[in-house]
Amino acid sequence: MGILVIAEHDEGALKSGTLNAITAATQIGPDVTVLVAAEASGPVAAEAARVAGVARVLAADAPHYARPTAENMAALVLSIASNYSHVLAPATNFGKNFMPRVAAKLDVAQVSEISAVVSPDTFVRPIYAGNALATVQSKDPIKVITVRATAFEPAATGGSAAVEPLAAVADTGQAVVTGRNLTKSARPELAAARIIVSGGRGMGNGENFKLLEALADKLGAAVGASRAAVDAGFVPNDYQVGQTGKVVAPELYVAVGISGAIQHLAGMKDSKVIVAINKDAEAPIFQVADYGLVADLFQAVPELTSELG
């Protein structure tokens, strides 16, 4: 039996988390199928077919997949789940929305946010806010899995999979998406950015985040924040990095005015290089930082921005 990956996409393009989930799927087994559900799936299905390691793409088209609800996505996945030994999705808001429903309907235990594949039935996943790793074995006939994207390299292009139509499941009518507030920015998307500049409570207020935005623009970086900064109203929720925000692993993470609470570290400690700027030399962030600068951020950040210029 094969492995099914549920594709997350946006406006006609695959989201990066899908490519990471495909990599995880290929480590489980060779027969990988990608399911694309959309109102008009053509462009996304064609992109998925070009991903290395994908053997088949199933394309389901229906108006209610333009803004899919957990009920409709789960019903579609359940219509074909018996044909597969594993069902995977990225551990993003998309995957977390419907995969628990799929697992419950199948009466199996979901294996959440895997970070490594040991064997087809054994996986590694972080627990205790990432401070420990658990190796878990699932004996369920169908394994429902969400994949921590930062733990797997994105799958490359170079495939030539066949695209096959899949009959859509009727709209359940149980819920409807009435609107979406999408943040548009010229900067890279936070979850997929190679460089991230984040600010914490030490920024003082939202107006001071302009210092970080200027630095981010010089670096071509995304701007993030700690939960403390978000809760204080300095920046919107979609900036939040951490256990209850976005989990990121960029090549460079610059933490400014962030103390390093365990909830924040859980979302960024897998970054390749971590730079911390904080006036408190005892701040926990320095324990995970590759480079630390004990300084007043209101002096250090403008000087750094100026030097980059």
Side-chain angles (χ1 to χ4, degrees):
M1 298 176 73
I3 302 157
L4 180 66
V5 176
I6 317 303
E8 180 179 6
H9 57 88
D10 184 31
E11 298 181 359
L14 285 177
K15 300 280 278 185
S16 59
T18 302
L19 300 178
N20 304 101
I22 291 172
T23 296
T26 59
Q27 294 179 12
I28 295 171
D31 186 11
V32 177
T33 298
V34 175
L35 170 60
V36 176
E39 184 172 19
S41 64
V44 181
E47 183 182 356
R50 294 192 294 269
V51 177
V54 175
R56 186 181 307 103
V57 177
L58 299 178
D61 288 19
H64 52 275
Y65 296 140
R67 291 181 173 182
T69 62
E71 293 81 1
N72 284 334
M73 283 301 300
L76 178 62
V77 173
L78 289 166
S79 71
I80 59 172
S82 61
N83 299 326
Y84 300 92
S85 59
H86 298 72
V87 179
L88 281 70
T92 57
N93 290 339
F94 168 79
K96 292 176 181 179
N97 190 33
F98 70 90
M99 288 291 275
R101 191 179 188 89
V102 171
K105 291 285 188 177
L106 291 172
D107 195 23
V108 302
Q110 176 175 302
V111 184
S112 301
E113 295 205 38
I114 66 167
S115 57
V117 175
V118 178
S119 70
D121 67 352
T122 306
F123 312 93
V124 177
R125 61 179 301 270
I127 59 175
Y128 303 132
N131 285 288
L133 297 175
T135 300
V136 296
Q137 184 177 39
S138 171
K139 296 187 177 181
D140 289 321
I142 302 176
K143 294 161 182 59
V144 176
I145 299 167
T146 58
V147 178
R148 175 167 283 201
T150 57
F152 297 89
E153 292 295 326
T157 57
S160 56
V163 178
E164 303 172 9
L166 175 67
V169 175
D171 188 349
T172 64
Q174 293 177 285
V176 61
V177 179
T178 59
R180 292 187 298 174
N181 294 323
L182 302 178
T183 301
K184 294 186 177 180
S185 173
R187 298 188 183 92
E189 182 186 0
L190 184 60
R194 292 175 55 250
I195 303 173
I196 297 174
V197 177
S198 279
R201 192 196 306 272
M203 296 303 300
N205 57 56
E207 185 69 19
N208 289 333
F209 264 78
K210 290 182 179 179
L211 296 175
L212 302 190
E213 291 170 358
L215 176 59
D217 289 342
K218 290 290 181 70
L219 294 170
V223 176
S226 68
R227 178 172 178 172
V230 171
D231 287 349
F234 296 171
V235 289
N237 288 347
D238 56 317
Y239 278 45
Q240 185 177 330
V241 173
Q243 185 179 12
T244 54
K246 293 182 173 67
V247 177
V248 299
E251 295 178 16
L252 173 63
Y253 188 88
V254 183
V256 182
I258 294 176
S259 64
I262 188 172
Q263 295 89 346
H264 186 75
L265 299 183
M268 48 65 73
K269 66 180 182 180
D270 290 331
S271 303
K272 306 301 184 291
V273 177
I274 299 172
V275 175
I277 301 174
N278 198 300
K279 66 181 180 181
D280 179 8
E282 302 300 320
I285 190 70
F286 289 119
Q287 297 176 14
V288 298
D290 298 283
Y291 300 94
L293 175 61
V294 179
D296 182 347
L297 70 87
F298 296 107
Q299 179 180 350
V301 172
E303 288 181 359
L304 176 58
T305 304
S306 177
E307 288 294 327
L308 291 170

